[in-house]
Amino acid sequence: MDIRKHCQLCNHQIVDFKTGTICGITQRKPEFVNKCINAKFDDKLESKIETTNVEYERVLKTKWIVYTNFIVFLIIGVAVILAGYFLAEYLLKFRVIAAAPFIISLVGLLFVLPLATGPLNNYKNDLRLAKAKKDDVDRVLDLYGIKYDINISFGKKYHGVQEVDVSLKIIK
C-alpha cells in the first residue's frame, strides 16, 4: 500500500506542490514501513471518512435509475434497428432498394444504443473509483485498529445541491 494514503488521513500532512506530501513533524517525505508512529488522526480523518462514504453511497444510490435507463434505451435501440431491417425486407418484396431502412438502423445503432451503454459505463467507472477510495481509507484504518460506524441519509436536492445528513462514530 502507498504510504501516502496514511498521510492523507493524518493531521501532520503538509502538501508542497514542488515535493509532494511531507510530514509536518520531520519536514521530509514519509518514511515508514507499515504504520507511522507519529500519525495523528482527528478532524482530517473524520472529513475523509465522511466524504469517501458519502460519495460511495451517492454512486450506489443511482444504480436503479442507471439500469432502468439501460434497459429502456436498449429496447428502443433494438426496436429501431429491427424497424429498419423489417422496412428493408418489406421494400425488397417490391424490388425497391432505399436508403431509409439503412439510415433508420444506423440511427438505432449509432445514437440510441450509446444512450443505453454510456450512463452504464459511467456508473460502473464511478462505482469502481468510489469503492477504491473507500477501500483505501478502510485499509489504513484497519492497520491502526480504528473502526467507524456511519449513517448517511440523503435529503432533498435544491438547485443541484443534495442535502446529506451524516452521523459518524469513530471507535479507536
Side-chain angles (χ1 to χ4, degrees):
M1 177 188 310
D2 185 7
I3 62 174
R4 288 174 292 181
K5 304 257 188 237
H6 296 245
C7 299
Q8 291 174 353
L9 303 175
C10 179
N11 284 9
H12 297 302
Q13 179 193 31
I14 299 173
V15 178
D16 179 14
F17 291 108
K18 285 185 179 181
T19 57
T21 294
I22 59 173
C23 180
I25 295 174
T26 64
Q27 300 301 319
R28 296 185 311 203
K29 286 191 173 275
E31 298 174 351
F32 55 88
V33 179
N34 290 325
K35 293 181 2 178
C36 176
I37 58 172
N38 297 318
K40 180 180 177 190
F41 301 121
D42 284 327
D43 302 332
K44 199 171 181 183
L45 172 69
E46 289 180 18
S47 173
K48 190 72 169 179
I49 291 172
E50 286 180 7
T51 57
T52 55
N53 280 281
V54 165
E55 183 58 31
Y56 179 66
E57 291 297 322
R58 183 170 295 163
V59 172
L60 283 178
K61 205 175 138 194
T62 64
K63 181 179 182 178
W64 183 85
I65 192 78
V66 168
Y67 279 101
T68 301
N69 177 79
F70 174 74
I71 291 168
V72 167
F73 278 103
L74 182 66
I75 290 170
I76 292 170
V78 170
V80 170
I81 292 169
L82 289 175
Y85 172 77
F86 288 124
L87 180 61
E89 286 286 318
Y90 177 75
L91 292 175
L92 283 176
K93 288 181 184 177
F94 300 107
R95 299 188 190 271
V96 175
I97 298 176
F102 299 109
I103 292 172
I104 291 171
S105 293
L106 279 176
V107 165
L109 186 65
L110 299 177
F111 295 107
V112 180
L113 286 182
L115 291 175
T117 58
L120 182 63
N121 289 337
N122 287 340
Y123 168 77
K124 287 182 176 182
N125 189 43
D126 291 347
L127 181 63
R128 183 181 52 81
L129 291 173
K131 177 93 170 101
K133 286 179 183 177
K134 182 183 178 329
D135 289 346
D136 285 344
V137 170
D138 290 346
R139 268 189 246 115
V140 170
L141 294 179
D142 280 345
L143 284 174
Y144 291 93
I146 300 172
K147 305 279 185 220
Y148 64 90
D149 185 28
I150 190 165
N151 292 314
I152 301 169
S153 60
F154 292 94
K156 294 184 179 181
K157 197 172 192 177
Y158 298 105
H159 305 289
V161 178
Q162 177 85 50
E163 284 184 356
V164 180
D165 183 38
V166 179
S167 171
L168 175 65
K169 181 180 178 187
I170 296 178
I171 306 157
K172 294 185 181 185

